[in-house]
Amino acid sequence: PPSAETTTATTDEHESIAHKEPKRWPFNDLREFHRRRYQLQKIAMEFYLHDGSNFLLVFTNQNDRNDFHKKLTLVDIFQNQQKRLKVGVGAGGKNTAADSKSNDTLNQISVVTDENRLQRAVKTIGSRVAGVTMTEYDTKKVTDRWVKGEMSNFAYLMFLNTLAGRTFNDISQYPVFPWVLRDYDSDRLELSNPAVFRDLSKPMGAQTEPRASEFRDRFATYEDPSG
């Protein structure tokens, strides 16, 4: 049975949580939302607001998370249907967001999801950005914008990290970036010198001949315990 100290601590913690003022955000402040893992469990959602802030909401189980995600998706679809009815389908001219060359990661995601988002949103409920499934076509459009120089390397890598489910709100799935430099000793980097960069055709374990040789020896002498 739990000790008196443990029971008292648990009660105090629950009372502390109960007395905290709940946080509220208007739905119109919500820019996008994603289903997320938390501590390797599929029990969280991450929310991004128009002001650039974001937060992770952890549920007690996966079913509660999925039910809330579904309801939020339906609200998002309904809100956008109402907006379309107010302005008229096709009215308002060209989408100016598509012409933006902002490096903001969320803008890049919005650019590829705003077009025909209602038509696609009602077709499927999956891994969503603001209620819209990201398709292979969508990701190609973002890649094309990066190739054309319309978004920064950082924004593009953050876009890929976001689609992969990585987040700053969970240390176990923090965003990752490629290791591209080799020279960490020089006071000044000459970026025109290829020797400054690592060989991206080789894995990290084979960047130098001694390390490559060591891993080849390990592979050659490895004995599979399963036979």
Side-chain angles (χ1 to χ4, degrees), residues 34-37 46 109 127 129 134 139 156-167 173-176:
H34 303 267
R35 284 185 287 194
R36 289 284 188 250
R37 291 178 298 168
E46 187 169 27
I109 298 175
S127 175
V129 176
M134 290 298 294
T139 55
Y156 181 61
L157 290 172
M158 279 305 303
F159 171 77
L160 298 180
N161 272 282
T162 300
L163 292 188
R166 293 190 169 273
T167 170
Q173 47 194 13
Y174 213 70
V176 294

mmCIF file with all atom_site columns, all heavy atoms in Angstrom, residues 34-37 46 109 127 129 134 139 156-167 173-176:
data_model
loop_
_atom_site.group_PDB
_atom_site.id
_atom_site.type_symbol
_atom_site.label_atom_id
_atom_site.label_alt_id
_atom_site.label_comp_id
_atom_site.label_asym_id
_atom_site.label_entity_id
_atom_site.label_seq_id
_atom_site.pdbx_PDB_ins_code
_atom_site.Cartn_x
_atom_site.Cartn_y
_atom_site.Cartn_z
_atom_site.occupancy
_atom_site.B_iso_or_equiv
_atom_site.pdbx_formal_charge
_atom_site.auth_seq_id
_atom_site.auth_comp_id
_atom_site.auth_asym_id
_atom_site.auth_atom_id
_atom_site.pdbx_PDB_model_num
ATOM 1   N N   . HIS A 1 34  ? -1.419 19.060 -35.023 1.00 0.00 ? 34  HIS A N   1
ATOM 2   C CA  . HIS A 1 34  ? -0.873 17.765 -35.426 1.00 0.00 ? 34  HIS A CA  1
ATOM 3   C C   . HIS A 1 34  ? -1.093 16.744 -34.315 1.00 0.00 ? 34  HIS A C   1
ATOM 4   O O   . HIS A 1 34  ? -1.010 17.078 -33.134 1.00 0.00 ? 34  HIS A O   1
ATOM 5   C CB  . HIS A 1 34  ? 0.642  17.844 -35.673 1.00 0.00 ? 34  HIS A CB  1
ATOM 6   C CG  . HIS A 1 34  ? 1.049  18.847 -36.689 1.00 0.00 ? 34  HIS A CG  1
ATOM 7   N ND1 . HIS A 1 34  ? 1.213  18.541 -38.011 1.00 0.00 ? 34  HIS A ND1 1
ATOM 8   C CD2 . HIS A 1 34  ? 1.350  20.160 -36.567 1.00 0.00 ? 34  HIS A CD2 1
ATOM 9   C CE1 . HIS A 1 34  ? 1.602  19.623 -38.672 1.00 0.00 ? 34  HIS A CE1 1
ATOM 10  N NE2 . HIS A 1 34  ? 1.682  20.616 -37.818 1.00 0.00 ? 34  HIS A NE2 1
ATOM 11  N N   . ARG A 1 35  ? -1.316 15.503 -34.704 1.00 0.00 ? 35  ARG A N   1
ATOM 12  C CA  . ARG A 1 35  ? -1.253 14.432 -33.725 1.00 0.00 ? 35  ARG A CA  1
ATOM 13  C C   . ARG A 1 35  ? 0.215  14.118 -33.457 1.00 0.00 ? 35  ARG A C   1
ATOM 14  O O   . ARG A 1 35  ? 1.029  14.069 -34.377 1.00 0.00 ? 35  ARG A O   1
ATOM 15  C CB  . ARG A 1 35  ? -1.983 13.187 -34.238 1.00 0.00 ? 35  ARG A CB  1
ATOM 16  C CG  . ARG A 1 35  ? -3.487 13.332 -34.164 1.00 0.00 ? 35  ARG A CG  1
ATOM 17  C CD  . ARG A 1 35  ? -4.205 12.068 -34.560 1.00 0.00 ? 35  ARG A CD  1
ATOM 18  N NE  . ARG A 1 35  ? -4.123 11.842 -36.004 1.00 0.00 ? 35  ARG A NE  1
ATOM 19  C CZ  . ARG A 1 35  ? -4.885 10.969 -36.646 1.00 0.00 ? 35  ARG A CZ  1
ATOM 20  N NH1 . ARG A 1 35  ? -5.761 10.258 -35.977 1.00 0.00 ? 35  ARG A NH1 1
ATOM 21  N NH2 . ARG A 1 35  ? -4.772 10.809 -37.945 1.00 0.00 ? 35  ARG A NH2 1
ATOM 22  N N   . ARG A 1 36  ? 0.554  13.904 -32.189 1.00 0.00 ? 36  ARG A N   1
ATOM 23  C CA  . ARG A 1 36  ? 1.942  13.708 -31.798 1.00 0.00 ? 36  ARG A CA  1
ATOM 24  C C   . ARG A 1 36  ? 2.081  12.532 -30.834 1.00 0.00 ? 36  ARG A C   1
ATOM 25  O O   . ARG A 1 36  ? 1.115  12.088 -30.210 1.00 0.00 ? 36  ARG A O   1
ATOM 26  C CB  . ARG A 1 36  ? 2.484  14.966 -31.111 1.00 0.00 ? 36  ARG A CB  1
ATOM 27  C CG  . ARG A 1 36  ? 2.693  16.148 -32.053 1.00 0.00 ? 36  ARG A CG  1
ATOM 28  C CD  . ARG A 1 36  ? 3.940  15.922 -32.876 1.00 0.00 ? 36  ARG A CD  1
ATOM 29  N NE  . ARG A 1 36  ? 4.277  17.103 -33.646 1.00 0.00 ? 36  ARG A NE  1
ATOM 30  C CZ  . ARG A 1 36  ? 4.179  17.192 -34.961 1.00 0.00 ? 36  ARG A CZ  1
ATOM 31  N NH1 . ARG A 1 36  ? 3.713  16.172 -35.656 1.00 0.00 ? 36  ARG A NH1 1
ATOM 32  N NH2 . ARG A 1 36  ? 4.531  18.294 -35.591 1.00 0.00 ? 36  ARG A NH2 1
ATOM 33  N N   . ARG A 1 37  ? 3.311  12.062 -30.724 1.00 0.00 ? 37  ARG A N   1
ATOM 34  C CA  . ARG A 1 37  ? 3.663  11.106 -29.674 1.00 0.00 ? 37  ARG A CA  1
ATOM 35  C C   . ARG A 1 37  ? 4.235  11.876 -28.491 1.00 0.00 ? 37  ARG A C   1
ATOM 36  O O   . ARG A 1 37  ? 4.830  12.924 -28.654 1.00 0.00 ? 37  ARG A O   1
ATOM 37  C CB  . ARG A 1 37  ? 4.706  10.113 -30.173 1.00 0.00 ? 37  ARG A CB  1
ATOM 38  C CG  . ARG A 1 37  ? 4.184  9.145  -31.230 1.00 0.00 ? 37  ARG A CG  1
ATOM 39  C CD  . ARG A 1 37  ? 5.291  8.245  -31.708 1.00 0.00 ? 37  ARG A CD  1
ATOM 40  N NE  . ARG A 1 37  ? 6.361  9.017  -32.343 1.00 0.00 ? 37  ARG A NE  1
ATOM 41  C CZ  . ARG A 1 37  ? 7.552  8.518  -32.651 1.00 0.00 ? 37  ARG A CZ  1
ATOM 42  N NH1 . ARG A 1 37  ? 7.827  7.269  -32.373 1.00 0.00 ? 37  ARG A NH1 1
ATOM 43  N NH2 . ARG A 1 37  ? 8.461  9.283  -33.225 1.00 0.00 ? 37  ARG A NH2 1
ATOM 44  N N   . GLU A 1 46  ? -0.178 18.625 -30.894 1.00 0.00 ? 46  GLU A N   1
ATOM 45  C CA  . GLU A 1 46  ? 0.576  19.875 -30.862 1.00 0.00 ? 46  GLU A CA  1
ATOM 46  C C   . GLU A 1 46  ? -0.196 20.938 -31.633 1.00 0.00 ? 46  GLU A C   1
ATOM 47  O O   . GLU A 1 46  ? -0.719 20.670 -32.713 1.00 0.00 ? 46  GLU A O   1
ATOM 48  C CB  . GLU A 1 46  ? 1.972  19.696 -31.470 1.00 0.00 ? 46  GLU A CB  1
ATOM 49  C CG  . GLU A 1 46  ? 2.863  20.904 -31.306 1.00 0.00 ? 46  GLU A CG  1
ATOM 50  C CD  . GLU A 1 46  ? 4.306  20.615 -31.659 1.00 0.00 ? 46  GLU A CD  1
ATOM 51  O OE1 . GLU A 1 46  ? 4.545  19.714 -32.483 1.00 0.00 ? 46  GLU A OE1 1
ATOM 52  O OE2 . GLU A 1 46  ? 5.195  21.294 -31.116 1.00 0.00 ? 46  GLU A OE2 1
ATOM 53  N N   . ILE A 1 109 ? 3.906  25.814 -44.978 1.00 0.00 ? 109 ILE A N   1
ATOM 54  C CA  . ILE A 1 109 ? 2.938  24.735 -44.884 1.00 0.00 ? 109 ILE A CA  1
ATOM 55  C C   . ILE A 1 109 ? 1.560  25.225 -45.314 1.00 0.00 ? 109 ILE A C   1
ATOM 56  O O   . ILE A 1 109 ? 0.834  24.550 -46.036 1.00 0.00 ? 109 ILE A O   1
ATOM 57  C CB  . ILE A 1 109 ? 2.888  24.177 -43.456 1.00 0.00 ? 109 ILE A CB  1
ATOM 58  C CG1 . ILE A 1 109 ? 4.252  23.585 -43.069 1.00 0.00 ? 109 ILE A CG1 1
ATOM 59  C CG2 . ILE A 1 109 ? 1.808  23.117 -43.320 1.00 0.00 ? 109 ILE A CG2 1
ATOM 60  C CD1 . ILE A 1 109 ? 4.338  23.111 -41.644 1.00 0.00 ? 109 ILE A CD1 1
ATOM 61  N N   . SER A 1 127 ? -3.022 12.164 -40.987 1.00 0.00 ? 127 SER A N   1
ATOM 62  C CA  . SER A 1 127 ? -2.050 13.044 -40.346 1.00 0.00 ? 127 SER A CA  1
ATOM 63  C C   . SER A 1 127 ? -2.225 14.413 -40.967 1.00 0.00 ? 127 SER A C   1
ATOM 64  O O   . SER A 1 127 ? -1.930 14.623 -42.143 1.00 0.00 ? 127 SER A O   1
ATOM 65  C CB  . SER A 1 127 ? -0.630 12.542 -40.600 1.00 0.00 ? 127 SER A CB  1
ATOM 66  O OG  . SER A 1 127 ? 0.313  13.435 -40.080 1.00 0.00 ? 127 SER A OG  1
ATOM 67  N N   . VAL A 1 129 ? -2.481 18.805 -41.268 1.00 0.00 ? 129 VAL A N   1
ATOM 68  C CA  . VAL A 1 129 ? -2.018 20.154 -40.989 1.00 0.00 ? 129 VAL A CA  1
ATOM 69  C C   . VAL A 1 129 ? -3.235 21.046 -41.123 1.00 0.00 ? 129 VAL A C   1
ATOM 70  O O   . VAL A 1 129 ? -3.788 21.192 -42.206 1.00 0.00 ? 129 VAL A O   1
ATOM 71  C CB  . VAL A 1 129 ? -0.924 20.584 -41.988 1.00 0.00 ? 129 VAL A CB  1
ATOM 72  C CG1 . VAL A 1 129 ? -0.536 22.021 -41.738 1.00 0.00 ? 129 VAL A CG1 1
ATOM 73  C CG2 . VAL A 1 129 ? 0.290  19.680 -41.879 1.00 0.00 ? 129 VAL A CG2 1
ATOM 74  N N   . MET A 1 134 ? -1.606 16.036 -45.530 1.00 0.00 ? 134 MET A N   1
ATOM 75  C CA  . MET A 1 134 ? -0.462 16.396 -46.361 1.00 0.00 ? 134 MET A CA  1
ATOM 76  C C   . MET A 1 134 ? -0.173 15.248 -47.314 1.00 0.00 ? 134 MET A C   1
ATOM 77  O O   . MET A 1 134 ? 0.135  14.138 -46.904 1.00 0.00 ? 134 MET A O   1
ATOM 78  C CB  . MET A 1 134 ? 0.760  16.667 -45.478 1.00 0.00 ? 134 MET A CB  1
ATOM 79  C CG  . MET A 1 134 ? 0.655  17.940 -44.669 1.00 0.00 ? 134 MET A CG  1
ATOM 80  S SD  . MET A 1 134 ? 0.533  19.411 -45.706 1.00 0.00 ? 134 MET A SD  1
ATOM 81  C CE  . MET A 1 134 ? 2.148  19.372 -46.479 1.00 0.00 ? 134 MET A CE  1
ATOM 82  N N   . THR A 1 139 ? 4.002  17.949 -50.417 1.00 0.00 ? 139 THR A N   1
ATOM 83  C CA  . THR A 1 139 ? 5.413  18.014 -50.032 1.00 0.00 ? 139 THR A CA  1
ATOM 84  C C   . THR A 1 139 ? 6.292  18.357 -51.220 1.00 0.00 ? 139 THR A C   1
ATOM 85  O O   . THR A 1 139 ? 7.299  19.050 -51.073 1.00 0.00 ? 139 THR A O   1
ATOM 86  C CB  . THR A 1 139 ? 5.863  16.679 -49.413 1.00 0.00 ? 139 THR A CB  1
ATOM 87  O OG1 . THR A 1 139 ? 5.592  15.604 -50.324 1.00 0.00 ? 139 THR A OG1 1
ATOM 88  C CG2 . THR A 1 139 ? 5.132  16.411 -48.107 1.00 0.00 ? 139 THR A CG2 1
ATOM 89  N N   . TYR A 1 156 ? 12.808 24.882 -44.545 1.00 0.00 ? 156 TYR A N   1
ATOM 90  C CA  . TYR A 1 156 ? 12.525 23.615 -45.230 1.00 0.00 ? 156 TYR A CA  1
ATOM 91  C C   . TYR A 1 156 ? 12.801 22.423 -44.318 1.00 0.00 ? 156 TYR A C   1
ATOM 92  O O   . TYR A 1 156 ? 12.013 21.473 -44.245 1.00 0.00 ? 156 TYR A O   1
ATOM 93  C CB  . TYR A 1 156 ? 13.364 23.522 -46.500 1.00 0.00 ? 156 TYR A CB  1
ATOM 94  C CG  . TYR A 1 156 ? 13.113 22.252 -47.297 1.00 0.00 ? 156 TYR A CG  1
ATOM 95  C CD1 . TYR A 1 156 ? 11.850 21.983 -47.810 1.00 0.00 ? 156 TYR A CD1 1
ATOM 96  C CD2 . TYR A 1 156 ? 14.137 21.345 -47.521 1.00 0.00 ? 156 TYR A CD2 1
ATOM 97  C CE1 . TYR A 1 156 ? 11.614 20.825 -48.527 1.00 0.00 ? 156 TYR A CE1 1
ATOM 98  C CE2 . TYR A 1 156 ? 13.911 20.180 -48.252 1.00 0.00 ? 156 TYR A CE2 1
ATOM 99  C CZ  . TYR A 1 156 ? 12.650 19.927 -48.747 1.00 0.00 ? 156 TYR A CZ  1
ATOM 100 O OH  . TYR A 1 156 ? 12.407 18.778 -49.469 1.00 0.00 ? 156 TYR A OH  1
ATOM 101 N N   . LEU A 1 157 ? 13.918 22.471 -43.587 1.00 0.00 ? 157 LEU A N   1
ATOM 102 C CA  . LEU A 1 157 ? 14.240 21.372 -42.679 1.00 0.00 ? 157 LEU A CA  1
ATOM 103 C C   . LEU A 1 157 ? 13.235 21.288 -41.534 1.00 0.00 ? 157 LEU A C   1
ATOM 104 O O   . LEU A 1 157 ? 12.874 20.200 -41.089 1.00 0.00 ? 157 LEU A O   1
ATOM 105 C CB  . LEU A 1 157 ? 15.658 21.545 -42.133 1.00 0.00 ? 157 LEU A CB  1
ATOM 106 C CG  . LEU A 1 157 ? 16.776 21.321 -43.152 1.00 0.00 ? 157 LEU A CG  1
ATOM 107 C CD1 . LEU A 1 157 ? 18.131 21.698 -42.562 1.00 0.00 ? 157 LEU A CD1 1
ATOM 108 C CD2 . LEU A 1 157 ? 16.799 19.867 -43.611 1.00 0.00 ? 157 LEU A CD2 1
ATOM 109 N N   . MET A 1 158 ? 12.758 22.455 -41.053 1.00 0.00 ? 158 MET A N   1
ATOM 110 C CA  . MET A 1 158 ? 11.740 22.439 -40.014 1.00 0.00 ? 158 MET A CA  1
ATOM 111 C C   . MET A 1 158 ? 10.421 21.882 -40.557 1.00 0.00 ? 158 MET A C   1
ATOM 112 O O   . MET A 1 158 ? 9.677  21.200 -39.842 1.00 0.00 ? 158 MET A O   1
ATOM 113 C CB  . MET A 1 158 ? 11.527 23.839 -39.446 1.00 0.00 ? 158 MET A CB  1
ATOM 114 C CG  . MET A 1 158 ? 12.557 24.240 -38.407 1.00 0.00 ? 158 MET A CG  1
ATOM 115 S SD  . MET A 1 158 ? 12.693 23.063 -37.033 1.00 0.00 ? 158 MET A SD  1
ATOM 116 C CE  . MET A 1 158 ? 11.013 23.033 -36.419 1.00 0.00 ? 158 MET A CE  1
ATOM 117 N N   . PHE A 1 159 ? 10.114 22.167 -41.812 1.00 0.00 ? 159 PHE A N   1
ATOM 118 C CA  . PHE A 1 159 ? 8.929  21.602 -42.454 1.00 0.00 ? 159 PHE A CA  1
ATOM 119 C C   . PHE A 1 159 ? 9.011  20.078 -42.461 1.00 0.00 ? 159 PHE A C   1
ATOM 120 O O   . PHE A 1 159 ? 8.052  19.382 -42.093 1.00 0.00 ? 159 PHE A O   1
ATOM 121 C CB  . PHE A 1 159 ? 8.824  22.145 -43.876 1.00 0.00 ? 159 PHE A CB  1
ATOM 122 C CG  . PHE A 1 159 ? 7.761  21.482 -44.714 1.00 0.00 ? 159 PHE A CG  1
ATOM 123 C CD1 . PHE A 1 159 ? 6.427  21.807 -44.538 1.00 0.00 ? 159 PHE A CD1 1
ATOM 124 C CD2 . PHE A 1 159 ? 8.098  20.536 -45.667 1.00 0.00 ? 159 PHE A CD2 1
ATOM 125 C CE1 . PHE A 1 159 ? 5.441  21.204 -45.310 1.00 0.00 ? 159 PHE A CE1 1
ATOM 126 C CE2 . PHE A 1 159 ? 7.125  19.923 -46.433 1.00 0.00 ? 159 PHE A CE2 1
ATOM 127 C CZ  . PHE A 1 159 ? 5.792  20.254 -46.258 1.00 0.00 ? 159 PHE A CZ  1
ATOM 128 N N   . LEU A 1 160 ? 10.178 19.529 -42.844 1.00 0.00 ? 160 LEU A N   1
ATOM 129 C CA  . LEU A 1 160 ? 10.352 18.079 -42.865 1.00 0.00 ? 160 LEU A CA  1
ATOM 130 C C   . LEU A 1 160 ? 10.285 17.492 -41.464 1.00 0.00 ? 160 LEU A C   1
ATOM 131 O O   . LEU A 1 160 ? 9.706  16.421 -41.245 1.00 0.00 ? 160 LEU A O   1
ATOM 132 C CB  . LEU A 1 160 ? 11.689 17.724 -43.522 1.00 0.00 ? 160 LEU A CB  1
ATOM 133 C CG  . LEU A 1 160 ? 11.855 18.139 -44.988 1.00 0.00 ? 160 LEU A CG  1
ATOM 134 C CD1 . LEU A 1 160 ? 13.232 17.730 -45.507 1.00 0.00 ? 160 LEU A CD1 1
ATOM 135 C CD2 . LEU A 1 160 ? 10.761 17.516 -45.858 1.00 0.00 ? 160 LEU A CD2 1
ATOM 136 N N   . ASN A 1 161 ? 10.895 18.192 -40.492 1.00 0.00 ? 161 ASN A N   1
ATOM 137 C CA  . ASN A 1 161 ? 10.833 17.729 -39.108 1.00 0.00 ? 161 ASN A CA  1
ATOM 138 C C   . ASN A 1 161 ? 9.404  17.697 -38.592 1.00 0.00 ? 161 ASN A C   1
ATOM 139 O O   . ASN A 1 161 ? 8.997  16.774 -37.889 1.00 0.00 ? 161 ASN A O   1
ATOM 140 C CB  . ASN A 1 161 ? 11.689 18.633 -38.216 1.00 0.00 ? 161 ASN A CB  1
ATOM 141 C CG  . ASN A 1 161 ? 13.143 18.198 -38.141 1.00 0.00 ? 161 ASN A CG  1
ATOM 142 O OD1 . ASN A 1 161 ? 13.488 17.257 -37.433 1.00 0.00 ? 161 ASN A OD1 1
ATOM 143 N ND2 . ASN A 1 161 ? 13.990 18.875 -38.892 1.00 0.00 ? 161 ASN A ND2 1
ATOM 144 N N   . THR A 1 162 ? 8.625  18.722 -38.971 1.00 0.00 ? 162 THR A N   1
ATOM 145 C CA  . THR A 1 162 ? 7.240  18.799 -38.525 1.00 0.00 ? 162 THR A CA  1
ATOM 146 C C   . THR A 1 162 ? 6.422  17.647 -39.091 1.00 0.00 ? 162 THR A C   1
ATOM 147 O O   . THR A 1 162 ? 5.644  17.001 -38.377 1.00 0.00 ? 162 THR A O   1
ATOM 148 C CB  . THR A 1 162 ? 6.608  20.139 -38.946 1.00 0.00 ? 162 THR A CB  1
ATOM 149 O OG1 . THR A 1 162 ? 7.349  21.210 -38.357 1.00 0.00 ? 162 THR A OG1 1
ATOM 150 C CG2 . THR A 1 162 ? 5.161  20.230 -38.488 1.00 0.00 ? 162 THR A CG2 1
ATOM 151 N N   . LEU A 1 163 ? 6.596  17.359 -40.380 1.00 0.00 ? 163 LEU A N   1
ATOM 152 C CA  . LEU A 1 163 ? 5.856  16.263 -40.996 1.00 0.00 ? 163 LEU A CA  1
ATOM 153 C C   . LEU A 1 163 ? 6.268  14.916 -40.411 1.00 0.00 ? 163 LEU A C   1
ATOM 154 O O   . LEU A 1 163 ? 5.474  13.969 -40.379 1.00 0.00 ? 163 LEU A O   1
ATOM 155 C CB  . LEU A 1 163 ? 6.087  16.244 -42.510 1.00 0.00 ? 163 LEU A CB  1
ATOM 156 C CG  . LEU A 1 163 ? 5.506  17.407 -43.309 1.00 0.00 ? 163 LEU A CG  1
ATOM 157 C CD1 . LEU A 1 163 ? 5.656  17.147 -44.790 1.00 0.00 ? 163 LEU A CD1 1
ATOM 158 C CD2 . LEU A 1 163 ? 4.048  17.621 -42.967 1.00 0.00 ? 163 LEU A CD2 1
ATOM 159 N N   . ALA A 1 164 ? 7.512  14.823 -39.941 1.00 0.00 ? 164 ALA A N   1
ATOM 160 C CA  . ALA A 1 164 ? 8.003  13.572 -39.352 1.00 0.00 ? 164 ALA A CA  1
ATOM 161 C C   . ALA A 1 164 ? 7.563  13.402 -37.902 1.00 0.00 ? 164 ALA A C   1
ATOM 162 O O   . ALA A 1 164 ? 7.872  12.389 -37.277 1.00 0.00 ? 164 ALA A O   1
ATOM 163 C CB  . ALA A 1 164 ? 9.526  13.519 -39.438 1.00 0.00 ? 164 ALA A CB  1
ATOM 164 N N   . GLY A 1 165 ? 6.840  14.395 -37.371 1.00 0.00 ? 165 GLY A N   1
ATOM 165 C CA  . GLY A 1 165 ? 6.344  14.292 -36.008 1.00 0.00 ? 165 GLY A CA  1
ATOM 166 C C   . GLY A 1 165 ? 7.302  14.795 -34.951 1.00 0.00 ? 165 GLY A C   1
ATOM 167 O O   . GLY A 1 165 ? 7.100  14.576 -33.758 1.00 0.00 ? 165 GLY A O   1
ATOM 168 N N   . ARG A 1 166 ? 8.355  15.485 -35.362 1.00 0.00 ? 166 ARG A N   1
ATOM 169 C CA  . ARG A 1 166 ? 9.322  15.997 -34.382 1.00 0.00 ? 166 ARG A CA  1
ATOM 170 C C   . ARG A 1 166 ? 8.863  17.348 -33.852 1.00 0.00 ? 166 ARG A C   1
ATOM 171 O O   . ARG A 1 166 ? 8.212  18.114 -34.560 1.00 0.00 ? 166 ARG A O   1
ATOM 172 C CB  . ARG A 1 166 ? 10.709 16.097 -35.004 1.00 0.00 ? 166 ARG A CB  1
ATOM 173 C CG  . ARG A 1 166 ? 11.289 14.733 -35.349 1.00 0.00 ? 166 ARG A CG  1
ATOM 174 C CD  . ARG A 1 166 ? 12.759 14.787 -35.736 1.00 0.00 ? 166 ARG A CD  1
ATOM 175 N NE  . ARG A 1 166 ? 13.315 13.447 -35.797 1.00 0.00 ? 166 ARG A NE  1
ATOM 176 C CZ  . ARG A 1 166 ? 13.827 12.797 -34.765 1.00 0.00 ? 166 ARG A CZ  1
ATOM 177 N NH1 . ARG A 1 166 ? 13.848 13.379 -33.569 1.00 0.00 ? 166 ARG A NH1 1
ATOM 178 N NH2 . ARG A 1 166 ? 14.315 11.582 -34.888 1.00 0.00 ? 166 ARG A NH2 1
ATOM 179 N N   . THR A 1 167 ? 9.227  17.628 -32.614 1.00 0.00 ? 167 THR A N   1
ATOM 180 C CA  . THR A 1 167 ? 8.747  18.843 -31.955 1.00 0.00 ? 167 THR A CA  1
ATOM 181 C C   . THR A 1 167 ? 9.722  19.295 -30.891 1.00 0.00 ? 167 THR A C   1
ATOM 182 O O   . THR A 1 167 ? 10.424 18.472 -30.281 1.00 0.00 ? 167 THR A O   1
ATOM 183 C CB  . THR A 1 167 ? 7.370  18.603 -31.315 1.00 0.00 ? 167 THR A CB  1
ATOM 184 O OG1 . THR A 1 167 ? 7.025  19.723 -30.494 1.00 0.00 ? 167 THR A OG1 1
ATOM 185 C CG2 . THR A 1 167 ? 7.358  17.355 -30.450 1.00 0.00 ? 167 THR A CG2 1
ATOM 186 N N   . GLN A 1 173 ? 11.875 13.420 -29.161 1.00 0.00 ? 173 GLN A N   1
ATOM 187 C CA  . GLN A 1 173 ? 11.712 13.532 -30.620 1.00 0.00 ? 173 GLN A CA  1
ATOM 188 C C   . GLN A 1 173 ? 11.967 14.969 -31.070 1.00 0.00 ? 173 GLN A C   1
ATOM 189 O O   . GLN A 1 173 ? 11.195 15.576 -31.787 1.00 0.00 ? 173 GLN A O   1
ATOM 190 C CB  . GLN A 1 173 ? 10.316 13.071 -31.038 1.00 0.00 ? 173 GLN A CB  1
ATOM 191 C CG  . GLN A 1 173 ? 9.191  13.635 -30.217 1.00 0.00 ? 173 GLN A CG  1
ATOM 192 C CD  . GLN A 1 173 ? 7.895  12.874 -30.462 1.00 0.00 ? 173 GLN A CD  1
ATOM 193 O OE1 . GLN A 1 173 ? 7.886  11.797 -31.053 1.00 0.00 ? 173 GLN A OE1 1
ATOM 194 N NE2 . GLN A 1 173 ? 6.794  13.442 -30.025 1.00 0.00 ? 173 GLN A NE2 1
ATOM 195 N N   . TYR A 1 174 ? 13.105 15.488 -30.588 1.00 0.00 ? 174 TYR A N   1
ATOM 196 C CA  . TYR A 1 174 ? 13.507 16.852 -30.905 1.00 0.00 ? 174 TYR A CA  1
ATOM 197 C C   . TYR A 1 174 ? 13.869 16.948 -32.388 1.00 0.00 ? 174 TYR A C   1
ATOM 198 O O   . TYR A 1 174 ? 14.334 15.967 -32.982 1.00 0.00 ? 174 TYR A O   1
ATOM 199 C CB  . TYR A 1 174 ? 14.723 17.218 -30.053 1.00 0.00 ? 174 TYR A CB  1
ATOM 200 C CG  . TYR A 1 174 ? 14.805 18.667 -29.658 1.00 0.00 ? 174 TYR A CG  1
ATOM 201 C CD1 . TYR A 1 174 ? 13.921 19.210 -28.737 1.00 0.00 ? 174 TYR A CD1 1
ATOM 202 C CD2 . TYR A 1 174 ? 15.768 19.503 -30.202 1.00 0.00 ? 174 TYR A CD2 1
ATOM 203 C CE1 . TYR A 1 174 ? 13.995 20.539 -28.363 1.00 0.00 ? 174 TYR A CE1 1
ATOM 204 C CE2 . TYR A 1 174 ? 15.855 20.835 -29.831 1.00 0.00 ? 174 TYR A CE2 1
ATOM 205 C CZ  . TYR A 1 174 ? 14.963 21.345 -28.914 1.00 0.00 ? 174 TYR A CZ  1
ATOM 206 O OH  . TYR A 1 174 ? 15.037 22.660 -28.557 1.00 0.00 ? 174 TYR A OH  1
ATOM 207 N N   . PRO A 1 175 ? 13.660 18.098 -33.028 1.00 0.00 ? 175 PRO A N   1
ATOM 208 C CA  . PRO A 1 175 ? 14.040 18.251 -34.440 1.00 0.00 ? 175 PRO A CA  1
ATOM 209 C C   . PRO A 1 175 ? 15.522 17.959 -34.665 1.00 0.00 ? 175 PRO A C   1
ATOM 210 O O   . PRO A 1 175 ? 16.362 18.243 -33.807 1.00 0.00 ? 175 PRO A O   1
ATOM 211 C CB  . PRO A 1 175 ? 13.723 19.725 -34.731 1.00 0.00 ? 175 PRO A CB  1
ATOM 212 C CG  . PRO A 1 175 ? 12.645 20.072 -33.754 1.00 0.00 ? 175 PRO A CG  1
ATOM 213 C CD  . PRO A 1 175 ? 12.967 19.298 -32.508 1.00 0.00 ? 175 PRO A CD  1
ATOM 214 N N   . VAL A 1 176 ? 15.835 17.369 -35.805 1.00 0.00 ? 176 VAL A N   1
ATOM 215 C CA  . VAL A 1 176 ? 17.217 17.016 -36.149 1.00 0.00 ? 176 VAL A CA  1
ATOM 216 C C   . VAL A 1 176 ? 17.621 17.751 -37.423 1.00 0.00 ? 176 VAL A C   1
ATOM 217 O O   . VAL A 1 176 ? 16.789 18.045 -38.282 1.00 0.00 ? 176 VAL A O   1
ATOM 218 C CB  . VAL A 1 176 ? 17.375 15.496 -36.336 1.00 0.00 ? 176 VAL A CB  1
ATOM 219 C CG1 . VAL A 1 176 ? 17.162 14.767 -35.020 1.00 0.00 ? 176 VAL A CG1 1
ATOM 220 C CG2 . VAL A 1 176 ? 16.422 14.964 -37.399 1.00 0.00 ? 176 VAL A CG2 1
#
